[in-house]
Amino acid sequence: MEQLSPLASVSATRAVLEAHGLSTKYSLGQNFLINDAILHKIVELADLSPADDVLEVGPGIGTLTVALLKRAGRVASVECDADLPPVLTQTLAPWADRFTLVEKDALDLRPADLPFAPTKLVANLPYAVAATVVLDYFERFPGMESATVMVQKEVADRMAAEPGSKNYGAYTVKLRLHARPADRFPVGPGNFFPPPRVESAVLRLDRRPVCDDAGAPLDAAALEAARVMADAAFATRRKTLANSCKTYFAGRGPQGARIAAALPRIFERAAIDPKRRGETLSLAEFVRLGQALRAEGGVEADLGAVSAR
């Protein structure tokens, strides 16, 4: 099997770090991948081609980045550790014409920061921000077709959860408004240096726009309404929809109070039993709740004020 990255070993990783007088930073969630076989599985799952412009978050010393550059057209990596740019300049020198480093916090990244509109996100994500980054980037980069990401196993479970399961929640619903899970594989702690204290998984999510009952893709307002109803439905997880939504909206000022008063009509218009719990609702039912919310006269303008986003 072809070696994708010469950096994918403990000895190579140590040598690079020591040459630059560096050590791993626990505060930044730095755990460097040291198994080339895992790199093969990542790029295969991502289904990369020279036509792809790939966005990576947290390149570290460039271990995965090298593999991406061997398979994709261009790669832009986002890194907030000020000590790593000199390292990446050295390790990625052979691909300097196709590689761009963006020195920025990934949560603050905007399309204007990149030299291209990414077609795919492929990354060994810092676990503390992984869930937020994936959802934000599907919203922020409309041309991003898929995300193939290494995350903590529990986060992958939330991303891939189905209605009725313990991991299904508001985050799952909001992510599912943009993408659906395609495939995944587990990655144990021994594949990293230093080994993390958690199990990991690589998950691919494919963009799949959600449509209304008439088959039209949801517009921004419809997506926002569905997101708000998901947050409300899971505000107090073990309560009924009626109680959870009432608690959520009643605590959000006069705008929320107006929506709380309209809840019985919203549930009736959406044909949703208010005695059900949020975890039993399908994505389509959350879309219907959002549509019913928007159809309630005078409350659509209140959405921005009550949103938790």
Coordinates of all heavy atoms in Angstrom, one line a residue, residues 228-229 232 245-263 265-266 293 296-308:
V228 N -35.6 26.8 15.3 CA -36.2 27.3 16.5 C -37.1 26.3 17.2 O -37.0 26.0 18.4 CB -37.0 28.6 16.2 CG1 -37.8 29.0 17.5 CG2 -36.0 29.7 15.9
M229 N -37.9 25.6 16.4 CA -38.8 24.6 16.9 C -38.0 23.4 17.5 O -38.5 22.8 18.5 CB -39.8 24.1 15.9 CG -40.9 25.2 15.5 SD -41.7 26.0 17.0 CE -42.5 24.6 17.7
A232 N -36.8 24.5 20.8 CA -37.9 24.5 21.8 C -38.3 23.1 22.2 O -38.6 22.9 23.4 CB -39.0 25.3 21.2
C245 N -41.9 23.4 24.8 CA -42.0 24.6 24.0 C -42.5 25.8 24.7 O -42.0 26.9 24.6 CB -42.9 24.3 22.8 SG -42.2 23.1 21.6
K246 N -43.5 25.6 25.6 CA -44.0 26.7 26.4 C -42.9 27.2 27.3 O -42.7 28.5 27.4 CB -45.2 26.2 27.3 CG -45.8 27.3 28.1 CD -47.0 26.8 28.9 CE -47.6 27.9 29.7 NZ -48.8 27.4 30.5
T247 N -42.1 26.3 27.9 CA -41.0 26.8 28.8 C -40.0 27.6 28.0 O -39.5 28.6 28.4 CB -40.3 25.6 29.5 OG1 -41.3 24.9 30.3 CG2 -39.1 26.0 30.3
Y248 N -39.6 27.1 26.8 CA -38.6 27.7 26.0 C -39.0 29.1 25.6 O -38.3 30.1 25.8 CB -38.4 26.8 24.8 CG -37.4 27.4 23.7 CD1 -36.0 27.2 23.9 CD2 -37.8 28.2 22.7 CE1 -35.1 27.7 23.0 CE2 -37.0 28.7 21.7 CZ -35.6 28.4 21.9 OH -34.7 29.0 21.0
F249 N -40.2 29.2 25.0 CA -40.7 30.5 24.5 C -41.0 31.5 25.6 O -40.8 32.7 25.5 CB -41.8 30.3 23.5 CG -41.5 29.7 22.2 CD1 -42.0 28.5 21.9 CD2 -40.6 30.3 21.4 CE1 -41.6 27.9 20.7 CE2 -40.2 29.7 20.2 CZ -40.7 28.5 19.8
A250 N -41.6 31.0 26.7 CA -42.0 31.9 27.8 C -40.8 32.6 28.4 O -41.0 33.7 29.0 CB -42.8 31.1 28.8
G251 N -39.7 32.0 28.3 CA -38.5 32.6 28.9 C -37.7 33.5 28.0 O -36.6 33.9 28.3
R252 N -38.3 33.9 26.9 CA -37.6 34.7 25.9 C -38.3 36.0 25.6 O -38.5 36.4 24.4 CB -37.4 33.9 24.6 CG -36.2 32.9 24.8 CD -36.1 31.8 23.8 NE -34.8 31.2 23.9 CZ -34.5 30.3 24.9 NH1 -35.4 30.0 25.8 NH2 -33.3 29.7 24.9
G253 N -38.7 36.7 26.6 CA -39.2 38.0 26.4 C -40.6 38.1 25.8 O -41.3 37.1 25.6
P254 N -41.0 39.3 25.5 CA -42.4 39.5 24.9 C -42.6 38.8 23.6 O -43.6 38.3 23.3 CB -42.5 41.0 24.8 CG -41.1 41.5 24.8 CD -40.4 40.6 25.7
Q255 N -41.5 38.7 22.8 CA -41.6 38.0 21.5 C -41.9 36.5 21.7 O -42.7 35.9 21.1 CB -40.3 38.2 20.7 CG -40.0 39.6 20.3 CD -39.1 40.3 21.2 OE1 -38.9 39.9 22.4 NE2 -38.4 41.3 20.8
G256 N -41.1 35.9 22.7 CA -41.3 34.5 23.0 C -42.7 34.3 23.6 O -43.3 33.3 23.3
A257 N -43.2 35.2 24.4 CA -44.5 35.1 25.0 C -45.6 35.0 24.0 O -46.6 34.3 24.1 CB -44.8 36.2 26.0
R258 N -45.5 35.8 22.9 CA -46.5 35.8 21.8 C -46.5 34.4 21.1 O -47.6 33.9 20.8 CB -46.2 36.9 20.8 CG -46.6 38.3 21.3 CD -46.6 39.3 20.2 NE -45.2 39.6 19.7 CZ -44.5 40.6 20.3 NH1 -45.0 41.3 21.2 NH2 -43.3 40.8 19.8
I259 N -45.3 33.9 20.9 CA -45.2 32.5 20.3 C -45.8 31.5 21.2 O -46.5 30.6 20.8 CB -43.8 32.2 19.9 CG1 -43.3 33.2 18.8 CG2 -43.7 30.7 19.3 CD1 -41.9 33.0 18.4
A260 N -45.5 31.6 22.5 CA -46.0 30.6 23.5 C -47.5 30.6 23.5 O -48.1 29.5 23.6 CB -45.5 30.9 24.9
A261 N -48.1 31.8 23.4 CA -49.6 31.8 23.4 C -50.2 31.2 22.1 O -51.3 30.7 22.2 CB -50.0 33.3 23.5
A262 N -49.4 31.2 21.1 CA -49.9 30.6 19.8 C -49.6 29.1 19.6 O -50.0 28.5 18.6 CB -49.3 31.4 18.6
L263 N -48.9 28.5 20.6 CA -48.5 27.1 20.5 C -49.7 26.1 20.2 O -49.5 25.3 19.3 CB -47.8 26.6 21.7 CG -46.3 27.1 21.8 CD1 -45.7 26.8 23.1 CD2 -45.5 26.5 20.7
R265 N -52.4 26.5 18.5 CA -52.7 26.6 17.1 C -51.6 26.1 16.2 O -51.8 25.5 15.1 CB -53.0 28.1 16.7 CG -54.2 28.7 17.4 CD -54.6 30.0 16.9 NE -53.6 31.0 17.1 CZ -53.4 31.7 18.2 NH1 -54.3 31.6 19.2 NH2 -52.5 32.6 18.3
I266 N -50.3 26.3 16.6 CA -49.2 25.8 15.8 C -49.2 24.3 15.7 O -49.0 23.7 14.7 CB -47.9 26.4 16.4 CG1 -47.8 27.9 16.2 CG2 -46.6 25.7 15.8 CD1 -46.6 28.6 16.9
L293 N -45.4 27.6 12.5 CA -44.9 28.7 13.3 C -44.9 30.0 12.4 O -45.5 31.0 12.7 CB -43.5 28.5 13.8 CG -42.8 29.7 14.5 CD1 -43.7 30.2 15.7 CD2 -41.5 29.3 15.0
E296 N -48.4 31.4 11.6 CA -49.1 32.1 12.7 C -48.9 33.6 12.5 O -47.8 34.1 12.7 CB -48.6 31.6 14.0 CG -49.3 32.2 15.2 CD -50.8 31.8 15.3 OE1 -51.1 30.7 14.8 OE2 -51.6 32.6 15.7
G297 N -50.0 34.3 12.3 CA -49.9 35.7 12.0 C -49.2 36.5 13.1 O -49.5 36.4 14.3
G298 N -48.2 37.3 12.7 CA -47.6 38.3 13.6 C -46.4 37.7 14.4 O -45.8 38.5 15.1
V299 N -46.1 36.4 14.3 CA -45.0 35.9 15.1 C -43.7 35.7 14.3 O -42.6 35.6 14.9 CB -45.4 34.6 15.8 CG1 -46.6 34.8 16.7 CG2 -45.6 33.5 14.8
E300 N -43.8 35.7 13.0 CA -42.5 35.4 12.2 C -41.5 36.4 12.5 O -40.3 36.1 12.6 CB -42.8 35.3 10.7 CG -41.6 34.9 9.9 CD -41.9 34.7 8.5 OE1 -43.0 34.8 8.0 OE2 -40.9 34.3 7.8
A301 N -41.8 37.7 12.7 CA -40.9 38.7 13.0 C -40.2 38.5 14.4 O -39.2 39.1 14.7 CB -41.5 40.1 13.0
D302 N -40.8 37.6 15.2 CA -40.2 37.4 16.6 C -39.2 36.3 16.6 O -38.5 36.1 17.5 CB -41.4 36.9 17.5 CG -42.4 38.0 17.7 OD1 -42.1 39.2 17.7 OD2 -43.6 37.6 17.9
L303 N -39.0 35.6 15.4 CA -38.1 34.4 15.4 C -36.7 34.8 15.8 O -36.0 34.1 16.5 CB -38.2 33.7 14.1 CG -39.4 32.9 13.8 CD1 -39.4 32.3 12.4 CD2 -39.6 31.8 14.8
G304 N -36.2 35.9 15.2 CA -34.8 36.3 15.4 C -34.5 36.6 16.8 O -33.4 36.4 17.3
A305 N -35.5 37.1 17.5 CA -35.4 37.5 18.9 C -35.3 36.3 19.9 O -34.8 36.4 21.0 CB -36.5 38.4 19.4
V306 N -35.9 35.2 19.5 CA -36.0 34.0 20.4 C -35.0 32.9 20.0 O -34.8 32.0 20.8 CB -37.5 33.4 20.4 CG1 -38.5 34.5 20.8 CG2 -37.8 32.8 19.0
S307 N -34.4 33.0 18.9 CA -33.5 32.0 18.4 C -32.3 31.8 19.4 O -31.7 32.8 19.8 CB -33.0 32.2 17.0 OG -32.0 31.2 16.7
A308 N -31.9 30.6 19.7 CA -30.7 30.4 20.5 C -29.5 30.4 19.8 O -28.4 30.3 20.3 CB -30.9 29.0 21.3

